[in-house]
């Protein structure tokens, strides 16, 4: 697996998390892969050394507080307009 495939799978698997956490995770793993490539590994070896996407997702899920996950899931799709609030 190359870096782009790893990052794409990571984004897809983290889709339920807050966007800022997804971006932090993608940036972190991208840098880790780049550092290993700079150390002389091939792209595939560097991705393998980082670990699997499943491990990354598991670690991220453990690091994000439950309250933040719930808030992200319950966030409205759009802001209500004043007249909508009055009607409610």
């Amino acid at each position: 697996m190359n870096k782009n495939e790893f990052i794409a799978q990571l984004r897809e698997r983290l889709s339920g998390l807050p966007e800022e956490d997804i971006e932090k995770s993608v940036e972190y793993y991208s840098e880790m892969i780049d550092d290993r490539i700079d150390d002389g590994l091939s792209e595939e070896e560097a991705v393998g050394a980082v670990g699997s996407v499943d491990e990354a997702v598991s670690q991220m899920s453990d690091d994000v507080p439950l309250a933040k996950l719930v808030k992200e899931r319950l966030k409205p799709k759009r802001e209500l307009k004043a007249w909508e609030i009055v009607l409610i």
Side-chain angles (χ1 to χ4, degrees):
M1 173 183 310
N2 66 28
K3 177 182 172 184
N4 290 334
E5 292 168 344
F6 181 88
I7 297 298
Q9 286 183 17
L10 184 63
R11 276 187 191 281
E12 181 180 325
R13 298 281 309 279
L14 293 175
S15 64
L17 297 177
E19 189 63 34
E20 68 183 50
D21 291 329
I22 294 172
E23 290 305 316
K24 284 180 187 177
S25 179
V26 165
E27 185 177 314
Y28 172 76
Y29 281 99
S30 181
E31 280 186 37
M32 259 183 20
I33 292 168
D34 289 341
D35 287 345
R36 285 180 168 73
I37 291 171
D38 290 343
D39 290 341
L41 295 178
S42 70
E43 187 173 352
E44 289 77 21
E45 291 172 330
V47 170
V50 167
S52 71
V53 174
D54 291 333
E55 292 170 351
V57 169
S58 176
Q59 181 180 2
M60 277 300 300
S61 297
D62 291 344
D63 291 346
V64 177
L66 181 60
K68 197 171 189 180
L69 289 174
V70 170
K71 183 178 178 184
E72 182 68 21
R73 298 270 182 190
L74 297 177
K75 185 173 22 173
K77 303 284 185 213
R78 62 179 180 83
E79 301 243 353
L80 293 175
K81 295 183 169 69
W83 66 270
E84 292 173 318
I85 294 171
V86 170
L87 286 176
I88 292 175

